[in-house]
Amino acid sequence: IVFIILRNVQRIYELVDVCACRAHIFCISFHLVSPRVIKKSSLLLAMMKLSDSKLTKVIANIYIEIFRSTPMIVQALIFAYGIPILLQKYGIPFNWPFRALPAMIVCGLNSAAYMAEVLRGGIQAVEPGQVEAAYSLGMSKRQVNNLIVLPQAFRIVIPSLGNEFVTMIKETSVLAFVGVVEILRSAQLWNANTFDTFEAYIGAAVVYFIVCYPLSKLVSYLEKRMDGKDDKKEISSGRKLFGKGEKTC
Protein backbone atom coordinates (compact mmCIF):
# COMPACT_ATOMS: atom_id res chain seq x y z
CA ILE A 1 0.00 0.00 0.00
CA VAL A 2 2.85 2.37 0.85
CA PHE A 3 4.49 1.61 -2.50
CA ILE A 4 1.24 2.35 -4.33
CA ILE A 5 0.83 5.62 -2.44
CA LEU A 6 4.41 6.67 -3.25
CA ARG A 7 3.95 5.70 -6.89
CA ASN A 8 0.83 7.84 -7.14
CA VAL A 9 2.01 10.79 -5.06
CA GLN A 10 1.50 13.18 -7.98
CA ARG A 11 -2.06 12.02 -8.57
CA ILE A 12 -2.86 12.17 -4.87
CA TYR A 13 -1.37 15.69 -4.74
CA GLU A 14 -3.61 16.69 -7.65
CA LEU A 15 -6.56 15.15 -5.83
CA VAL A 16 -5.69 17.10 -2.67
CA ASP A 17 -5.23 20.29 -4.69
CA VAL A 18 -8.55 19.97 -6.53
CA CYS A 19 -10.41 18.96 -3.38
CA ALA A 20 -8.79 21.78 -1.42
CA CYS A 21 -10.04 24.36 -3.94
CA ARG A 22 -13.53 22.89 -3.97
CA ALA A 23 -13.51 22.45 -0.19
CA HIS A 24 -12.50 26.12 0.20
CA ILE A 25 -15.51 27.25 -1.83
CA PHE A 26 -17.74 24.72 -0.04
CA CYS A 27 -16.52 25.80 3.42
CA ILE A 28 -17.04 29.50 2.65
CA SER A 29 -20.64 28.76 1.67
CA PHE A 30 -21.11 26.30 4.54
CA HIS A 31 -19.87 28.70 7.21
CA LEU A 32 -22.40 31.27 6.03
CA VAL A 33 -25.10 28.76 7.00
CA SER A 34 -23.44 26.89 9.89
CA PRO A 35 -23.61 29.62 12.58
CA ARG A 36 -27.38 29.72 12.16
CA VAL A 37 -28.12 26.12 11.26
CA ILE A 38 -25.74 24.20 13.52
CA LYS A 39 -24.68 26.30 16.52
CA LYS A 40 -27.92 28.11 17.23
CA SER A 41 -30.14 25.18 16.24
CA SER A 42 -28.27 22.66 18.40
CA LEU A 43 -28.27 25.00 21.40
CA LEU A 44 -31.94 25.81 20.87
CA LEU A 45 -32.83 22.11 20.61
CA ALA A 46 -30.86 21.32 23.77
CA MET A 47 -32.62 24.08 25.71
CA MET A 48 -35.99 22.98 24.33
CA LYS A 49 -35.37 19.43 25.48
CA LEU A 50 -34.46 20.66 28.96
CA SER A 51 -37.38 23.08 29.24
CA ASP A 52 -40.41 22.56 31.45
CA SER A 53 -42.85 22.84 28.53
CA LYS A 54 -44.05 19.48 27.22
CA LEU A 55 -44.74 20.93 23.75
CA THR A 56 -41.17 22.14 23.23
CA LYS A 57 -39.83 18.82 24.53
CA VAL A 58 -41.99 16.89 22.05
CA ILE A 59 -40.91 19.12 19.12
CA ALA A 60 -37.22 18.75 20.02
CA ASN A 61 -37.54 14.99 20.49
CA ILE A 62 -39.28 14.54 17.12
CA TYR A 63 -36.63 16.56 15.29
CA ILE A 64 -33.69 14.82 16.99
CA GLU A 65 -35.09 11.30 16.62
CA ILE A 66 -35.95 11.77 12.92
CA PHE A 67 -32.47 12.97 11.98
CA ARG A 68 -30.66 10.52 14.22
CA SER A 69 -32.73 7.51 13.18
CA THR A 70 -32.45 7.93 9.40
CA PRO A 71 -29.28 7.66 7.25
CA MET A 72 -27.74 10.91 6.08
CA ILE A 73 -27.71 9.72 2.47
CA VAL A 74 -31.51 9.27 2.58
CA GLN A 75 -31.88 12.78 3.98
CA ALA A 76 -29.63 14.15 1.23
CA LEU A 77 -31.65 12.38 -1.48
CA ILE A 78 -34.92 13.72 -0.05
CA PHE A 79 -33.65 17.30 0.03
CA ALA A 80 -31.79 17.19 -3.29
CA TYR A 81 -34.35 15.31 -5.41
CA GLY A 82 -37.49 14.55 -3.40
CA ILE A 83 -38.50 18.07 -2.38
CA PRO A 84 -38.09 19.66 -5.86
CA ILE A 85 -40.06 16.84 -7.54
CA LEU A 86 -42.79 17.02 -4.90
CA LEU A 87 -43.19 20.78 -5.37
CA GLN A 88 -43.18 20.44 -9.15
CA LYS A 89 -46.04 17.92 -8.93
CA TYR A 90 -48.17 20.62 -7.30
CA GLY A 91 -47.28 23.17 -9.96
CA ILE A 92 -44.56 24.99 -8.02
CA PRO A 93 -41.49 25.44 -10.26
CA PHE A 94 -38.61 24.81 -7.88
CA ASN A 95 -35.03 23.73 -8.43
CA TRP A 96 -31.96 24.16 -6.27
CA PRO A 97 -29.74 26.91 -7.72
CA PHE A 98 -26.67 24.72 -7.10
CA ARG A 99 -26.33 21.17 -5.86
CA ALA A 100 -24.18 22.07 -2.85
CA LEU A 101 -27.04 24.04 -1.23
CA PRO A 102 -29.20 21.04 -0.18
CA ALA A 103 -25.97 19.29 0.85
CA MET A 104 -25.10 22.16 3.20
CA ILE A 105 -28.62 22.19 4.64
CA VAL A 106 -28.60 18.43 5.25
CA CYS A 107 -25.17 18.57 6.90
CA GLY A 108 -26.32 21.39 9.15
CA LEU A 109 -29.63 19.83 10.16
CA ASN A 110 -28.13 16.38 10.70
CA SER A 111 -25.21 17.65 12.75
CA ALA A 112 -27.50 19.91 14.81
CA ALA A 113 -29.47 16.87 16.00
CA TYR A 114 -26.34 15.10 17.25
CA MET A 115 -24.78 18.24 18.74
CA ALA A 116 -28.02 19.02 20.58
CA GLU A 117 -27.68 15.76 22.52
CA VAL A 118 -24.01 16.50 23.21
CA LEU A 119 -24.83 19.98 24.53
CA ARG A 120 -27.72 18.62 26.60
CA GLY A 121 -25.33 16.23 28.31
CA GLY A 122 -22.87 19.06 28.95
CA ILE A 123 -25.55 21.30 30.43
CA GLN A 124 -26.77 18.53 32.72
CA ALA A 125 -23.16 17.85 33.83
CA VAL A 126 -22.90 21.31 35.43
CA GLU A 127 -23.34 21.01 39.18
CA PRO A 128 -26.88 21.98 40.26
CA GLY A 129 -25.46 23.68 43.34
CA GLN A 130 -23.88 26.38 41.18
CA VAL A 131 -27.20 27.12 39.52
CA GLU A 132 -28.97 27.30 42.88
CA ALA A 133 -26.29 29.61 44.23
CA ALA A 134 -26.64 31.90 41.21
CA TYR A 135 -30.41 32.09 41.68
CA SER A 136 -29.92 32.86 45.37
CA LEU A 137 -27.73 35.83 44.37
CA GLY A 138 -30.65 37.26 42.41
CA MET A 139 -29.47 36.36 38.90
CA SER A 140 -32.08 35.84 36.18
CA LYS A 141 -32.43 32.60 34.24
CA ARG A 142 -30.79 34.18 31.19
CA GLN A 143 -27.82 35.38 33.27
CA VAL A 144 -27.45 31.94 34.84
CA ASN A 145 -27.40 30.26 31.43
CA ASN A 146 -25.06 32.78 29.79
CA LEU A 147 -22.62 33.27 32.68
CA ILE A 148 -22.69 30.01 34.66
CA VAL A 149 -24.11 27.05 32.74
CA LEU A 150 -23.19 27.45 29.07
CA PRO A 151 -19.48 28.40 29.48
CA GLN A 152 -18.90 25.31 31.63
CA ALA A 153 -21.04 23.11 29.37
CA PHE A 154 -19.05 24.08 26.28
CA ARG A 155 -15.78 23.30 28.05
CA ILE A 156 -17.11 19.91 29.11
CA VAL A 157 -18.24 18.93 25.60
CA ILE A 158 -15.19 20.16 23.64
CA PRO A 159 -13.97 16.59 22.91
CA SER A 160 -17.43 15.45 21.81
CA LEU A 161 -17.93 18.53 19.63
CA GLY A 162 -14.54 17.98 18.02
CA ASN A 163 -15.34 14.34 17.32
CA GLU A 164 -18.69 15.36 15.83
CA PHE A 165 -16.94 17.87 13.55
CA VAL A 166 -14.47 15.23 12.33
CA THR A 167 -17.33 12.77 11.82
CA MET A 168 -19.26 15.34 9.81
CA ILE A 169 -16.26 15.82 7.49
CA LYS A 170 -16.11 12.07 6.86
CA GLU A 171 -19.87 11.82 6.38
CA THR A 172 -19.74 14.37 3.56
CA SER A 173 -18.65 11.43 1.38
CA VAL A 174 -22.33 10.46 1.01
CA LEU A 175 -22.93 13.79 -0.75
CA ALA A 176 -21.24 12.31 -3.83
CA PHE A 177 -24.53 10.49 -4.49
CA VAL A 178 -26.42 13.79 -4.90
CA GLY A 179 -23.99 15.31 -7.38
CA VAL A 180 -21.61 17.19 -5.08
CA VAL A 181 -18.04 16.78 -6.31
CA GLU A 182 -16.07 16.32 -3.07
CA ILE A 183 -13.22 13.99 -2.11
CA LEU A 184 -14.97 10.68 -2.79
CA ARG A 185 -16.55 11.91 -6.03
CA SER A 186 -13.15 13.16 -7.23
CA ALA A 187 -11.73 9.69 -6.54
CA GLN A 188 -14.61 8.11 -8.46
CA LEU A 189 -13.86 10.37 -11.44
CA TRP A 190 -10.19 9.43 -11.21
CA ASN A 191 -11.20 5.76 -11.26
CA ALA A 192 -13.54 6.29 -14.23
CA ASN A 193 -10.83 8.02 -16.27
CA THR A 194 -7.89 5.68 -15.56
CA PHE A 195 -9.46 2.46 -14.15
CA ASP A 196 -6.95 2.68 -11.26
CA THR A 197 -9.56 1.59 -8.74
CA PHE A 198 -7.34 0.74 -5.80
CA GLU A 199 -5.08 3.76 -6.27
CA ALA A 200 -8.05 6.13 -6.57
CA TYR A 201 -9.74 5.05 -3.36
CA ILE A 202 -6.45 4.80 -1.45
CA GLY A 203 -5.86 8.38 -2.59
CA ALA A 204 -9.26 9.39 -1.21
CA ALA A 205 -8.42 7.69 2.10
CA VAL A 206 -5.11 9.57 2.26
CA VAL A 207 -6.86 12.89 1.64
CA TYR A 208 -9.43 12.20 4.37
CA PHE A 209 -6.59 11.27 6.73
CA ILE A 210 -4.69 14.47 5.90
CA VAL A 211 -7.81 16.53 6.64
CA CYS A 212 -9.10 14.71 9.74
CA TYR A 213 -5.93 13.72 11.60
CA PRO A 214 -4.74 17.31 12.36
CA LEU A 215 -8.25 18.20 13.53
CA SER A 216 -8.39 15.24 15.91
CA LYS A 217 -4.95 16.18 17.31
CA LEU A 218 -6.12 19.78 17.71
CA VAL A 219 -9.12 18.59 19.73
CA SER A 220 -6.80 16.50 21.95
CA TYR A 221 -4.54 19.52 22.44
CA LEU A 222 -7.46 21.75 23.43
CA GLU A 223 -8.73 19.09 25.85
CA LYS A 224 -5.31 18.77 27.54
CA ARG A 225 -4.95 22.54 27.68
CA MET A 226 -8.34 22.89 29.37
CA ASP A 227 -7.42 20.18 31.88
CA GLY A 228 -4.13 21.94 32.59
CA LYS A 229 -5.88 25.23 33.25
CA ASP A 230 -8.30 23.54 35.64
CA ASP A 231 -5.41 21.88 37.53
CA LYS A 232 -3.57 25.22 37.82
CA LYS A 233 -6.69 26.91 39.14
CA GLU A 234 -7.15 24.19 41.76
CA ILE A 235 -3.49 24.47 42.85
CA SER A 236 -3.60 28.27 43.06
CA SER A 237 -6.85 28.22 45.02
CA GLY A 238 -5.39 25.61 47.38
CA ARG A 239 -2.29 27.75 47.97
CA LYS A 240 -4.46 30.78 48.73
CA LEU A 241 -6.50 28.80 51.24
CA PHE A 242 -3.36 27.33 52.81
CA GLY A 243 -1.78 30.78 53.07
CA LYS A 244 -4.86 32.18 54.74
CA GLY A 245 -4.82 29.33 57.21
CA GLU A 246 -1.21 30.09 58.17
CA LYS A 247 -1.99 33.76 58.77
CA THR A 248 -5.01 32.87 60.85
CA CYS A 249 -2.95 30.55 63.01
Side-chain angles (χ1 to χ4, degrees), residues 145-185:
N145 287 329
N146 292 337
L147 300 176
I148 306 297
V149 177
L150 293 180
Q152 295 185 71
F154 277 110
R155 290 184 67 180
I156 292 170
V157 301
I158 280 178
S160 300
L161 291 178
N163 291 333
E164 174 60 27
F165 184 65
V166 173
T167 302
M168 186 178 67
I169 292 175
K170 292 185 288 185
E171 285 183 347
T172 55
S173 59
V174 304
L175 302 178
F177 296 96
V178 295
V180 178
V181 182
E182 38 69 65
I183 298 173
L184 179 61
R185 183 59 179 164

Side-chain angles (χ1 to χ4, degrees), residues 37-50 56-57 59-65 67-68 107-124 150 153-154 157 160-161 164:
V37 175
I38 297 180
K39 296 176 184 177
K40 293 184 179 179
S41 297
S42 58
L43 182 58
L44 177 63
L45 288 167
M47 299 304 292
M48 287 173 66
K49 200 162 183 181
L50 293 172
T56 55
K57 281 185 178 180
I59 294 172
N61 282 324
I62 291 173
Y63 176 92
I64 290 171
E65 294 304 325
F67 278 94
R68 291 180 67 192
C107 285
L109 295 176
N110 183 277
S111 183
Y114 286 92
M115 288 178 63
E117 287 296 287
V118 172
L119 289 175
R120 182 181 64 84
I123 292 170
Q124 290 180 327
L150 293 180
F154 277 110
V157 301
S160 300
L161 291 178
E164 174 60 27

Side-chain angles (χ1 to χ4, degrees), residues 164-234:
E164 174 60 27
F165 184 65
V166 173
T167 302
M168 186 178 67
I169 292 175
K170 292 185 288 185
E171 285 183 347
T172 55
S173 59
V174 304
L175 302 178
F177 296 96
V178 295
V180 178
V181 182
E182 38 69 65
I183 298 173
L184 179 61
R185 183 59 179 164
S186 299
Q188 289 175 341
L189 294 175
W190 175 6
N191 176 36
N193 291 331
T194 62
F195 297 102
D196 295 331
T197 305
F198 187 77
E199 291 85 347
Y201 292 119
I202 282 292
V206 169
V207 174
Y208 277 114
F209 181 81
I210 291 171
V211 174
C212 295
Y213 181 74
L215 291 174
S216 62
K217 299 303 289 184
L218 177 62
V219 172
S220 300
Y221 169 75
L222 291 175
E223 185 180 0
K224 291 179 182 177
R225 189 171 180 181
M226 290 295 180
D227 292 338
K229 285 184 178 180
D230 292 339
D231 293 339
K232 287 180 181 178
K233 285 182 180 179
E234 289 178 1

Side-chain angles (χ1 to χ4, degrees), residues 18 23 44 58 73 79 82 111 123 127 135 144 176 209 220 230 239:
V18 171
L44 177 63
V58 170
I73 185 171
F79 274 83
S111 183
I123 292 170
E127 293 182 6
Y135 281 129
V144 172
F209 181 81
S220 300
D230 292 339
R239 285 176 179 174

